[in-house]
Amino acid sequence: VSDGDDSRPPTADWRPSRAKQDWFAEPPLRGFQQRVQTTKVCYRKESCAQRIEVVDSVPFGRMLVLDGAVQTTERDEFIYHEMLVHPALLCHPDPRQVLLIGGGDGGALRRILQHPVSTVTMVELDSQVVEVSQRYLPSVGGTAILDHRASLLIEDGVEFVKHCDLKLDAVIVDSTDPVGPAKALFAEEFYRSVHRILADDGVFVTQSGSPLLMPAELHETYHNLRQVFPVVRLYLTPVPSYPGTLWSFTFASKGRDPLGVEPGVIRQRLSDRAISPHFYTSELHFGAFALPSFVEEALKGGRPIDLLA
Amino acid sequence: VSDGDDSRPPTADWRPSRAKQDWFAEPPLRGFQQRVQTTKVCYRKESCAQRIEVVDSVPFGRMLVLDGAVQTTERDEFIYHEMLVHPALLCHPDPRQVLLIGGGDGGALRRILQHPVSTVTMVELDSQVVEVSQRYLPSVGGTAILDHRASLLIEDGVEFVKHCDLKLDAVIVDSTDPVGPAKALFAEEFYRSVHRILADDGVFVTQSGSPLLMPAELHETYHNLRQVFPVVRLYLTPVPSYPGTLWSFTFASKGRDPLGVEPGVIRQRLSDRAISPHFYTSELHFGAFALPSFVEEALKGGRPIDLLA
C-alpha cells in the first residue's frame, strides 16, 4: 500500500494507514501497472516465508497480499478458485484422493470439497497464511479446513511430493508466482515427482501466472510439463484483481483430456455433485480452453506466447 | 500522459514530453486504475469533436487516445478488431452491404473487407481521427480506406442512420464509450433506426465497454437492444490496453444467432473467405459467448452484471 505517487511494493518501513487516498500497486512489469484504491490496512507481518498483508480495497473488498502480490480478494476469489479446481476435477469421473499444494487461504480447498473426494491433503508452507486468512478473510475458505476429509500439513510442497507414497487422483497447485519461494513448484523435477504419485487416470493443474506480464515463466512452465506429461493444456480466465486481469492455468495428465469429455457429461457431473458455481459453467469449461489463434500457433511451434510482442 | 503521481487524464495545459519515466493512465473508475509507461508523445490536438493524442508506450507500442481514453494500440488492436468484426460477419453466409459507424482508425474496416462484402459505408464523426490514424498508426488500418468497396462519410452516425434508406446485411459500431459524444449510439432510439435499416437476416454488433468498470452502461446497452431485437448476445474478450483488460461486445439481430451456427460452418467460411485471424478462432467464436454463471443469471433476471459486486 503506497501513496498515489509510489509504484513500489510496500517496504519494511511502510506504515498502516487509514487515509482514503491510498493506492496499492504491485511493481510495474513490462511498463504496465494496475493500481487499486485502498481504505484500510488490517494486518501486516513478516512470516517465516514472506510478508503477509491484508488490505481493504475499493474495487475488490478485502485482499490478501503476499510479498507485495495480490493472492486473493473477497470479490473475485470465486473466479480464480472455481477455474483452478472445477475444470480438472469435473473431467475426472471419481476423484477420491486429492493433494493440494499451497492454497493457504482455503478457497481452493472449499471448491475441492464440493466434489466427491475421500481425502484432501493440503500442504501449505506457511501456517500464518492459513491463520490470517481464517481470521481476516473467512468468506474465502469458509469452514473447509474443519472438514473431516481435509488434513493440513505445514510443509514444503516440493519436499512432500518427493517423499510421498500416496497414489493420487488429482494434484492441484495453488501457489504464488514462479518467482521467489514458489519457483521449484514450476520445475521439471517437481513435475516428475507429481507424475510418479499421480494415478494413471489422474489429473494435475497449476496456476501458471500472467500470460501478458510473465510470458517467459509461462513458457517455461508449459515446456516443463510437456517434458513429463503427454497431455498438457493451457487455459485462460480473467481475474480482475491480478495484474493485467487475464490469468493462465495449465492442466496436465497421463491421458485424460478436459476437452475429451462431452458437455453433457460435465453438466451431469455438476448436477450429480450438486455444485452450482458462481463463475464456471460447462460452456466455459470448453470456452476457457479455446485459445487465441496466435497462442495456439506459438504452443505448436514451441515458441513463447507473448500477447504484447 | 502524466507524471507518475498524476492519475488525471491529460489536460489542456499538458505538454509533450520525452522523459522515459512518464506514465499514461485513464482516470480511475471504481477505485481501479491501469497505467502504462510512455516514451514519446507523437501528436496532440483538439479536433472538432475531441482531444486526439498519439503516444508511444512500452507495453502496447503506439496508442491512439481520444479524450484521455485508449482507443487502439499497435500491439493489441488485432484482438479488439477481430473480435468486433468476425463473430458477426462469420455467422452471416453472405454479408454484402455493411455499415460501419466510427472506426476511424481503419482497423475494423480492414477486417470487414476480408469478408466477401460489396460495399462498406464507414460513417465517422471526426475526419482528424482518420487522418491521424493513417499517418501515425498505418499498421492498424493498412490501405483499407483506399479499397474500392469502401466509402468514407464524415458525419454523425446517429443522424446518418436516422435518414438512411439502405438495406444492410451488417451494421457494426466501433465507437468510443457510452459517455460523452458517443452516448446516442447506445440509446434505444438509435437501435430502432438500426432495426429499420437492417435486412431480416442482418446482424448488428457494437463494442459495449468494460463489464468491470462500466457495468451500469453495459446493462443499459443490453437492455436497450433487448427492447428492439429478439436475439441479443453479450460476449467478452481480453483487450489488455483497455482499463481492466476484460471487454464486452454485444451482438443483436432479428433472428440470426451466432451460437446457432455449426463450428464446421464457421471453419468452412473462414477457409472460403481465406481469413487467417491472429486472435479469433472458430473455438473462440463459441468460447467468447460462454459467459460466467453469474453473468448468465443476471442477464436472465434483467439485473445489472457486476463482476465487482
Side-chain angles (χ1 to χ4, degrees):
Chain A
V1 176
S2 62
D3 292 335
D5 63 343
D6 188 351
S7 60
R8 291 167 305 162
T11 55
D13 61 358
W14 162 99
R15 297 260 184 283
S17 155
R18 284 161 193 269
K20 290 243 161 156
Q21 286 309 313
D22 273 359
W23 289 81
F24 169 85
E26 301 189 21
L29 281 172
R30 310 185 81 193
F32 178 98
Q33 189 176 44
Q34 182 167 314
R35 311 200 304 167
V36 298
Q37 207 180 340
T38 58
T39 53
K40 189 180 165 188
V41 174
C42 308
Y43 180 90
R44 173 177 196 279
K45 226 172 230 176
E46 297 280 341
S47 74
C48 58
Q50 55 211 334
R51 188 174 62 245
I52 303 175
E53 297 166 310
V54 177
V55 184
D56 285 343
S57 76
V58 173
F60 302 119
R62 192 160 284 180
M63 313 194 297
L64 174 68
V65 180
L66 300 181
D67 278 347
V70 175
Q71 299 303 305
T72 199
T73 81
E74 280 179 336
R75 300 235 178 101
D76 71 355
E77 65 86 23
F78 69 100
I79 305 181
Y80 172 85
H81 289 123
E82 288 183 10
M83 293 304 288
L84 173 68
V85 168
H86 292 328
L89 291 192
L90 283 163
C91 87
H92 195 298
D94 194 24
R96 293 283 164 157
Q97 311 295 330
V98 179
L99 171 64
L100 170 63
I101 294 175
D105 58 46
L109 181 62
R110 179 153 72 92
R111 273 62 177 213
I112 293 168
L113 290 167
Q114 295 177 335
H115 296 265
V117 296
S118 308
T119 66
V120 187
T121 308
M122 176 170 154
V123 180
E124 163 64 55
L125 187 64
D126 191 344
S127 65
Q128 285 194 51
V129 171
V130 179
E131 286 155 25
V132 167
S133 300
Q134 285 187 281
R135 177 162 167 208
Y136 289 99
L137 288 141
S139 68
V140 174
T143 55
I145 201 81
L146 305 176
D147 193 290
H148 69 278
R149 295 168 295 168
S151 54
L152 170 64
L153 303 177
I154 299 302
E155 194 174 333
D156 179 84
V158 172
E159 286 303 308
F160 178 85
V161 167
K162 199 183 281 175
H163 304 109
C164 173
D165 55 8
L166 300 169
K167 242 343 176 203
L168 293 151
D169 299 311
V171 176
I172 297 176
V173 176
D174 178 15
S175 72
T176 52
D177 290 326
V179 284
K183 198 164 168 35
L185 290 172
F186 298 85
E188 186 181 326
E189 192 185 343
F190 171 70
Y191 294 145
R192 294 213 178 272
S193 301
V194 170
H195 188 278
R196 186 179 54 77
I197 63 173
L198 203 62
D200 286 347
D201 60 354
V203 292
F204 170 81
V205 66
T206 181
Q207 80 95 352
S208 45
S210 165
L212 298 172
L213 305 177
M214 295 182 228
E217 289 82 354
L218 173 56
H219 177 66
E220 207 182 316
T221 300
Y222 186 87
H223 175 82
N224 290 345
L225 280 167
R226 289 286 292 162
Q227 299 300 307
V228 177
F229 289 100
V231 176
V232 181
R233 291 217 179 262
L234 177 69
Y235 62 104
L236 303 174
T237 203
V239 182
S241 64
Y242 290 177
T245 296
L246 192 64
W247 216 250
S248 80
F249 299 88
T250 310
F251 171 97
S253 79
K254 299 178 182 180
R256 203 176 276 291
D257 186 349
L259 295 184
V261 188
E262 289 298 314
V265 170
I266 298 283
R267 277 192 293 276
Q268 188 61 48
R269 284 178 188 160
L270 274 172
S271 163
D272 290 346
R273 299 176 191 182
I275 305 177
S276 302
H278 197 46
F279 190 87
Y280 174 94
T281 69
S282 59
E283 288 82 11
L284 262 186
H285 178 101
F286 300 94
F289 287 97
L291 298 173
S293 178
F294 75 99
V295 173
E296 290 277 16
E297 291 299 318
L299 293 179
K300 269 185 224 156
R303 295 188 308 278
I305 301 150
D306 195 343
L307 272 81
L308 302 180
Chain B
V1 178
S2 61
D3 293 335
D5 64 342
D6 188 351
S7 61
R8 290 167 305 163
T11 55
D13 62 357
W14 162 99
R15 297 260 183 285
S17 154
R18 282 160 195 272
K20 290 244 163 154
Q21 287 309 312
D22 272 359
W23 289 82
F24 169 85
E26 300 189 21
L29 281 171
R30 311 185 81 192
F32 179 98
Q33 189 176 44
Q34 183 166 313
R35 313 198 305 166
V36 297
Q37 207 181 339
T38 59
T39 53
K40 189 181 165 188
V41 174
C42 308
Y43 181 89
R44 172 176 198 277
K45 226 172 228 175
E46 295 280 341
S47 74
C48 58
Q50 54 211 334
R51 187 174 63 244
I52 303 176
E53 296 167 310
V54 177
V55 184
D56 285 344
S57 76
V58 172
F60 303 118
R62 193 160 283 179
M63 313 194 297
L64 175 68
V65 180
L66 299 181
D67 279 346
V70 175
Q71 299 301 307
T72 199
T73 81
E74 281 178 337
R75 301 236 176 101
D76 71 354
E77 66 86 22
F78 69 99
I79 304 181
Y80 172 85
H81 289 123
E82 289 183 9
M83 292 305 287
L84 173 68
V85 168
H86 292 328
L89 292 192
L90 282 164
C91 86
H92 196 297
D94 194 26
R96 292 282 163 159
Q97 312 295 329
V98 179
L99 172 64
L100 170 62
I101 294 175
D105 58 47
L109 181 62
R110 179 153 72 92
R111 273 60 178 216
I112 293 168
L113 290 166
Q114 295 177 334
H115 297 264
V117 296
S118 308
T119 67
V120 187
T121 307
M122 175 169 154
V123 180
E124 164 63 54
L125 187 65
D126 190 344
S127 65
Q128 285 194 53
V129 171
V130 179
E131 286 155 25
V132 167
S133 299
Q134 286 187 280
R135 179 162 166 208
Y136 290 98
L137 288 141
S139 68
V140 174
T143 56
I145 201 83
L146 304 173
D147 193 289
H148 68 281
R149 296 168 294 168
S151 54
L152 171 64
L153 303 176
I154 299 301
E155 196 175 329
D156 179 86
V158 172
E159 285 303 307
F160 178 85
V161 167
K162 200 182 280 176
H163 304 107
C164 174
D165 55 7
L166 299 169
K167 247 333 181 208
L168 293 151
D169 299 312
V171 176
I172 297 175
V173 177
D174 178 14
S175 72
T176 52
D177 290 326
V179 284
K183 196 165 170 32
L185 290 171
F186 297 86
E188 187 180 325
E189 192 183 346
F190 171 70
Y191 294 144
R192 294 212 177 273
S193 301
V194 171
H195 188 277
R196 186 178 54 75
I197 64 173
L198 204 61
D200 285 346
D201 60 354
V203 291
F204 170 82
V205 67
T206 182
Q207 81 96 350
S208 44
S210 165
L212 298 173
L213 305 176
M214 295 183 228
E217 290 82 355
L218 173 56
H219 177 66
E220 206 181 320
T221 300
Y222 187 87
H223 175 82
N224 290 344
L225 280 167
R226 288 286 293 163
Q227 299 299 307
V228 177
F229 289 100
V231 176
V232 181
R233 291 215 179 264
L234 177 70
Y235 62 104
L236 303 174
T237 203
V239 183
S241 64
Y242 290 176
T245 295
L246 192 65
W247 215 251
S248 80
F249 300 89
T250 309
F251 172 97
S253 80
K254 298 177 184 180
R256 204 177 275 292
D257 186 349
L259 294 184
V261 188
E262 289 297 314
V265 171
I266 298 282
R267 278 193 293 275
Q268 189 60 49
R269 285 178 188 162
L270 275 171
S271 163
D272 291 347
R273 300 176 192 183
I275 304 176
S276 303
H278 198 47
F279 191 88
Y280 173 94
T281 69
S282 60
E283 288 82 11
L284 262 186
H285 178 100
F286 300 93
F289 287 98
L291 299 174
S293 178
F294 75 100
V295 173
E296 290 279 15
E297 291 298 317
L299 293 179
K300 268 186 224 154
R303 295 187 307 277
I305 301 150
D306 195 343
L307 272 81
L308 303 181

